[in-house]
Amino acid sequence: AFAKWLPTHLAAYWERTFQEVDQAQEALCDTARQYLSYLIQNGGRFGIGTDVPCWGAFPGALLAEELRIHEECGMTRAQALEAVTLGNARLLGIDRETGTLEPGKRADLIAVNGDPMADLKALTQVALTVKGGTCYTPESLRSRLPEHPASDTLRAFGQRTLHCTDWRQENR
């Protein structure tokens, strides 16, 4: 959308730049998948989680996609779900305190509408969040957002997950 406001030569420059970035990102993703496959096949230890390196990638929102990629690279669904819970706790050395639902352990967790073992997208359908012993609904969390230019986007987040490429496509 922004390209229509630029002179033709600048619009062409930015279009080429976006294409080059997309190609470089694809190559980087291919290399990362090769390393991940190697680690999985050889019993490597690593944590699973999402970062927020770009606009529209909200914390936790891309977890289902990350787990899907781990499956593509050789993990079973059960291994991926265990890695993101107990596995991360083990890596941090806190698996006696957290990482599984057991009496005496701390447990910040989400309850989802669906079965992640059947469909990882269920992880994006959060019905309840428990943090520090307090329960939150998605609506109660969205209502607590401060007024800010990005607040409308964040409030609408439950209806649509934005990815980096979505934002770039919409703003060309």
Side-chain angles (χ1 to χ4, degrees):
F2 76 82
K4 67 183 173 187
W5 302 106
L6 296 174
T8 306
H9 72 284
L10 283 178
Y13 167 80
W14 283 110
E15 183 61 32
R16 282 192 314 278
T17 301
F18 280 132
Q19 288 173 357
E20 289 169 10
V21 168
D22 288 345
Q23 290 169 356
Q25 188 174 13
E26 240 351 271
L28 180 62
C29 287
D30 288 344
T31 301
R33 281 187 172 95
Q34 290 172 10
Y35 282 125
L36 182 58
S37 294
Y38 178 84
L39 284 171
I40 291 168
Q41 291 168 9
N42 292 284
R45 294 181 59 189
F46 51 88
I48 297 178
T50 57
D51 294 331
V52 187
C54 62
W55 174 256
F58 300 108
L62 300 178
L63 183 61
E65 176 65 11
E66 182 155 345
L67 292 174
R68 186 192 63 73
I69 291 168
H70 280 73
E71 282 184 343
E72 272 182 14
C73 293
M75 282 187 147
T76 65
R77 174 89 32 98
Q79 287 172 324
L81 289 168
E82 182 177 314
V84 79
T85 53
L86 180 58
N88 284 346
R90 281 185 181 140
L91 279 174
L92 295 171
I94 57 173
D95 53 306
R96 291 184 182 189
E97 305 160 32
T98 190
T100 57
L101 294 176
E102 296 179 50
K105 284 190 171 184
R106 290 181 295 115
D108 293 339
L109 58 96
I110 59 170
V112 297
N113 292 318
D115 178 5
M117 283 296 290
D119 183 2
L120 287 173
K121 288 182 183 175
L123 294 172
T124 66
Q125 304 302 314
V126 177
L128 186 72
T129 299
V130 180
K131 172 77 174 145
T134 302
C135 297
Y136 303 94
T137 63
E139 296 78 24
S140 70
L141 291 173
R142 280 192 291 271
S143 70
R144 296 172 62 160
L145 290 171
E147 289 306 315
H148 184 275
S151 294
D152 291 338
T153 301
L154 292 169
R155 283 190 186 91
F157 172 66
Q159 296 151 10
R160 177 171 179 256
T161 302
L162 296 175
H163 297 279
C164 300
T165 53
D166 294 336
W167 182 82
R168 276 201 306 248
Q169 293 297 327
E170 291 170 6
N171 289 286
R172 284 190 179 172

